[in-house]
């Protein structure tokens, strides 16, 4: 960069700078107009000093709040001792122990750095174990960014089940043959597909609560039964639900235990860390000694089990193990859901609040929403306007989700109520 360019640069705001050096002006996650400076508890501040009650929570990891003093102290102590070693470290080992103690399906754990990787390897583990190739996923289900996962996450038009629709350019056409897609909450369709493809189907991967859609009563139980009958592995993607719906995740909360699960977000305490966890006989495929060359699943990652992330994760789990933590989280979430429901109803908007107390959102639809196509029938434009009006009023949230934090205070909740009331009034009258 020339001296003259560098000088003009000083005068540019971060949003403009980002537009020059980042495609689309953003990291790809969230609109680039918001540049966050710092977070504490249930609030964040942007670079212009604007304050928000934060229901984005870093897209979920900050369940105990931003810059929690205990998590910060644990991470700082580790940073001072060196930040990454590639070799085993005690914090990663202790975090694996904590996961095995907490999560019903977890007999062993393999760490990676992101949820995307965890899902990719969980599917590979299912293939290695069963020696079959295909994976069944659900329309609208999110399992990260790998070529295999990015199928029928958000198709613009309904396709024909079970054919997948790739969500991105650059995904090899040949992979379409490796993925089957079914509607969430439709056990009969799943049963039919599993029976038809059982000789080539390695696993079924599902978000036990798909985005904000809870499973219909009996759906997860049916998946468990159908997969077990045909020797197909059941994988719960618990990147979102892990340590959030309960300390043992969705499998504890809904009472259905998969063969494998993936974890991320909360277990890294705000640092990059994720995991595949599950039955020891399946996890054995990560160990060449145990399964030999043919069954061995190759998996290596520079930052896997990073000690700073593991220490932050351990500190986070310690907070979550305290008596009453989940009662408090659910009480906050239940109150927020009830308030939002009531405000929408009072203003005569056709809408409903869907989810579980630790994560939910409003859907502008009067129909019962059970699956991805049900969410498409809602008024998405209304949802976008609501989010924009809320952002102006100091509420930060993702496109289709409120994440609730243990750190959200009575004042935060009151602020949310006032912002909702004001934004809903605009929606109802304009
Ligand atoms: C259910 C689910 N699985 C996987 C992922 C991917 O995780 P990451 O963003 O850490 O790669 C996400 C991310 O939001 C997720 O919500």
């Amino acid at each position: 960069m020339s001296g003259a360019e560098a000088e003009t640069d000083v005068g540019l705001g971060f949003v403009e700078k980002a537009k020059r050096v980042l495609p689309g002006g953003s990291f790809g996650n969230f609109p680039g107009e918001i540049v966050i400076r710092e977070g504490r508890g249930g609030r964040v501040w942007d670079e212009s000093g604007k304050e928000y009650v934060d229901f984005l929570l870093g897209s979920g990891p900050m369940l105990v709040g931003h810059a929690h003093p205990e998590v910060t102290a644990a991470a700082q102590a580790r940073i001072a001792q060196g930040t990454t070693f590639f070799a085993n470290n005690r914090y990663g080992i202790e975090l694996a122990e904590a996961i095995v103690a907490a999560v019903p399906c977890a007999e062993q754990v393999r760490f990676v750095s992101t949820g995307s990787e965890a899902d990719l390897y969980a599917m590979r583990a299912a293939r290695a174990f069963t020696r079959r190739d295909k994976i069944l996923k659900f329309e609208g289900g999110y399992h990260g960014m790998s070529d295999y996962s990015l199928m029928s996450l958000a198709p613009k038009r309904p396709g024909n089940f079970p054919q997948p629709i790739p969500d991105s350019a650059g995904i090899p056409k040949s992979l379409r043959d490796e993925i089957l897609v079914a509607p969430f909450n439709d056990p009969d369709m799943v049963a039919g597909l599993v029976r038809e493809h059982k000789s080539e189907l390695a696993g079924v991967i599902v978000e036990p609560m798909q985005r904000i859609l809870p499973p219909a009563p009996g759906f997860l139980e049916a998946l468990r039964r159908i997969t077990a009958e045909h020797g197909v592995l059941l994988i719960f993607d618990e990147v979102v639900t892990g340590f959030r719906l309960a300390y043992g995740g969705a499998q504890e909360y809904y009472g259905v235990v998969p063969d494998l699960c993936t974890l991320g977000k909360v277990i890294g305490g705000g640092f990059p860390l994720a995991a595949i966890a599950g039955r020891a006989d399946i996890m054995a495929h990560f160990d060449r000694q145990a399964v030999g060359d043919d069954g061995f699943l190759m998996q290596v990652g520079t930052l896997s089990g990073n000690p700073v992330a593991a220490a932050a994760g351990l500190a986070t789990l310690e907070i979550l193990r305290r008596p009453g933590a989940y009662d408090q989280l659910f009480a906050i979430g239940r109150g927020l859901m009830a308030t939002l429901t009531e405000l929408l109803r009072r203003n005569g908007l056709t809408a409903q609040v869907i989810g579980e107390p630790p994560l939910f959102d409003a859907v502008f639809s009067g129909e019962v929403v059970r699956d991805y196509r049900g969410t498409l029938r809602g008024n998405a434009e209304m949802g976008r306007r609501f989010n924009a009006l809320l952002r102006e009023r100091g509420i930060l949230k993702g496109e289709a989700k409120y994440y609730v934090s243990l750190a959200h205070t009575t004042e935060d909740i009151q602020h949310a109520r006032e912002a909702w009331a004001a934004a809903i009034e605009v929606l109802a009258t304009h």
Side-chain angles (χ1 to χ4, degrees), residues 114-116 119 142-144 207 211 237 239-240 265:
T114 69
S116 276
D119 286 335
Y142 183 33
H143 307 296
E207 289 183 82
R211 314 282 73 208
D237 181 336
V239 169
V240 166
K265 301 199 192 264

Side-chain angles (χ1 to χ4, degrees), residues 228-246:
E229 256 170 39
H230 297 287
V232 171
L233 298 190
L234 181 60
I235 306 166
F236 277 6
D237 181 336
E238 295 235 40
V239 169
V240 166
T241 52
F243 293 93
R244 189 182 316 275
L245 293 193

Side-chain angles (χ1 to χ4, degrees), residues 147-305:
D147 287 348
Y148 291 91
S149 294
L150 214 44
M151 299 276 189
S152 296
L153 162 64
K156 298 280 176 293
R157 288 179 310 284
N160 293 324
F161 296 116
Q163 263 98 49
I165 300 177
D167 292 285
S168 171
I171 293 180
K173 285 193 184 59
S174 56
L175 290 189
R176 290 180 205 191
D177 294 335
E178 307 304 338
I179 301 288
L180 303 168
V181 175
F184 189 64
N185 276 333
D186 186 342
D188 294 341
M189 169 93 80
V190 177
L193 287 171
V194 171
R195 260 195 304 273
E196 187 182 338
H197 294 276
K198 59 176 186 269
S199 62
E200 46 186 7
L201 191 61
V204 171
I205 188 165
V206 63
E207 289 183 82
M209 172 186 185
Q210 184 170 294
R211 314 282 73 208
I212 54 165
L213 300 174
F219 176 62
L220 296 177
E221 289 82 352
L223 291 187
R224 181 63 288 183
R225 205 171 44 247
I226 297 158
T227 49
E229 256 170 39
H230 297 287
V232 171
L233 298 190
L234 181 60
I235 306 166
F236 277 6
D237 181 336
E238 295 235 40
V239 169
V240 166
T241 52
F243 293 93
R244 189 182 316 275
L245 293 193
Y247 190 69
Q251 46 198 289
E252 176 188 324
Y253 188 68
Y254 295 123
V256 175
V257 180
D259 300 300
L260 285 175
C261 75
T262 55
L263 297 161
K265 301 199 192 264
V266 173
I267 61 166
F271 291 85
L273 188 140
I276 306 107
R279 272 169 41 192
D281 58 338
I282 307 168
M283 297 301 290
H285 285 264
F286 288 99
D287 175 5
R288 194 194 293 267
Q289 299 286 328
V291 294
D293 285 346
D294 282 355
F296 176 52
L297 186 170
M298 178 84 113
Q299 192 287 315
V300 179
T302 300
L303 292 172
S304 298

